[in-house]
Amino acid sequence: MKIVAKYETKKVTASNVVGYLEGSDPKLKSEAVLFSAHYDAYGKENGKIYAGAADNALGTAEMLAVAEAYSKASQKPKRSMVFLAVTGEEYGLYGSKYWAKEPTWDIKKVAANLNLDGIGSEVYGAVKTMVGYGAEHSSLGAMLADVAPAFQVNVIPDPMPDEKVFYRSDHYSFVERGVPSLMILGAPAGEKEVWMKRIKDWEKTDYHQPGDVIQPGWAWEGPETVAEVMAILGWRISETDSMPIWLGTSRFAKLERGNTKELPEEK
Ligand SMILES: [Zn+2]
């Protein structure tokens, strides 16, 4: 077989967008909970618009909903809250890698990262199932397991471990700098095989394609639940005396915030 591949490389400029809410505790406010979601998709190619509605306008909107809720709350969280909409995820996590290298908050004082990067499974119906990518690595896993039942949400392990999702989205840029991180995926009730098939079908027809647009059947209560769980989880991280830690059983156990050494390849 003969394969001819043609590449064109272009340099472009894009921006991350960041906002923050100052914490209320005189000591803890120097530390921050970092929320992230990538707002880029593929722009316009060959006259077609790649809207990226599920991946990742949904995640970006959920993050903004959390920011809005905190800013309207009568009480302010103890630690500060940083909201980071990153660019260039689809082309190689460029925005998050840049922020991790040139952070606008002292990286040693970033308590945790909560990331949202969707494949749209949270709009299939009411969210009753959640996956916390990275849950097995840090104390954030137990925190999610504690918060989710209040929303009648069942936390399950990664349903597609072969795809190594944990290593493929923006939170991993922060993991490399030693920050315990979690990416939350919402899904409906019922057998995971059913909604997993729906994801797989969608991936074939719409994922990273012009077809990723808002569909009439989307159930908006799902994203609402994802945002609510995220808001409570973020609030708890903000209120807890000490920052989340890596678990002794994790391959990141010895990692410290501020790390600049390259991590060994994941096997
Ligand atoms: Zn994405």
Side-chain angles (χ1 to χ4, degrees):
M1 180 164 59
K2 192 177 158 190
I3 297 173
V4 179
K6 289 183 183 173
Y7 292 96
E8 188 192 11
T9 315
K10 262 190 281 185
K11 264 200 175 168
V12 295
T13 307
S15 302
N16 289 336
V17 183
V18 62
Y20 82 105
L21 182 69
E22 193 178 21
S24 60
D25 184 277
K27 259 172 110 177
L28 292 180
K29 71 177 183 182
S30 66
E31 297 172 356
V33 181
L34 173 67
F35 295 81
S36 61
H38 76 84
Y39 74 89
D40 63 301
Y42 289 92
K44 217 169 156 186
E45 273 177 41
N46 302 323
K48 285 188 175 142
I49 297 169
Y50 289 62
D55 178 20
N56 187 33
L58 267 179
T60 309
E62 286 156 7
M63 178 179 77
L64 287 176
V66 174
E68 187 181 4
Y70 288 162
S71 66
K72 285 182 178 166
S74 53
Q75 197 192 333
K76 292 289 169 248
K78 287 185 179 171
R79 286 190 174 82
S80 297
M81 303 296 202
V82 176
F83 301 93
L84 178 65
V86 289
T87 185
E89 193 269 352
E90 302 291 7
Y91 293 100
L93 314 184
Y94 288 111
S96 58
K97 277 184 187 164
Y98 182 84
W99 195 92
K101 202 169 142 242
E102 306 278 347
T104 52
W105 198 276
D106 180 357
I107 199 85
K108 290 188 176 152
K109 293 189 170 181
V110 177
N113 167 241
L114 298 177
N115 186 50
L116 289 167
D117 187 2
I119 37 180
S121 50
E122 72 265 56
V123 290
Y124 294 173
V127 163
K128 296 291 174 197
T129 311
M130 258 180 202
V131 182
Y133 288 96
E136 71 276 34
H137 292 297
S138 75
S139 56
L140 294 172
M143 291 181 92
L144 174 65
D146 201 41
V147 170
F151 295 87
Q152 289 84 48
V153 167
N154 182 27
V155 179
I156 62 163
D158 184 357
M160 38 192 172
D162 294 348
E163 295 195 16
K164 304 217 180 293
V165 175
F166 182 69
Y167 300 89
R168 284 175 34 205
S169 186
D170 291 306
H171 55 274
Y172 196 66
S173 303
F174 313 123
V175 168
E176 287 181 315
R177 301 255 17 224
V179 177
S181 304
L182 202 64
M183 179 168 79
I184 294 167
L185 175 89
E191 291 293 314
K192 71 171 189 222
E193 286 71 21
V194 178
W195 52 264
M196 286 288 295
K197 183 176 183 309
R198 193 164 162 190
I199 291 174
K200 295 282 169 205
D201 291 345
W202 178 82
E203 281 182 339
K204 277 182 216 143
T205 55
D206 299 325
Y207 181 53
H208 291 171
Q209 297 168 57
D212 183 5
V213 292
I214 296 172
Q215 304 290 349
W218 280 16
W220 293 104
E221 72 231 73
E224 202 179 325
T225 303
V226 171
E228 283 169 348
V229 169
M230 183 101 147
I232 301 299
L233 185 58
W235 194 278
R236 287 213 184 166
I237 299 166
S238 150
E239 300 289 299
T240 309
D241 288 347
S242 51
M243 296 196 283
I245 51 162
W246 295 108
L247 298 181
T249 47
S250 163
R251 60 192 299 262
F252 306 118
K254 298 229 164 65
L255 207 52
E256 280 178 26
R257 287 178 180 81
N259 174 63
T260 49
K261 284 188 221 119
E262 229 174 274
L263 302 187
E265 276 285 300
E266 203 273 334
K267 284 183 203 79

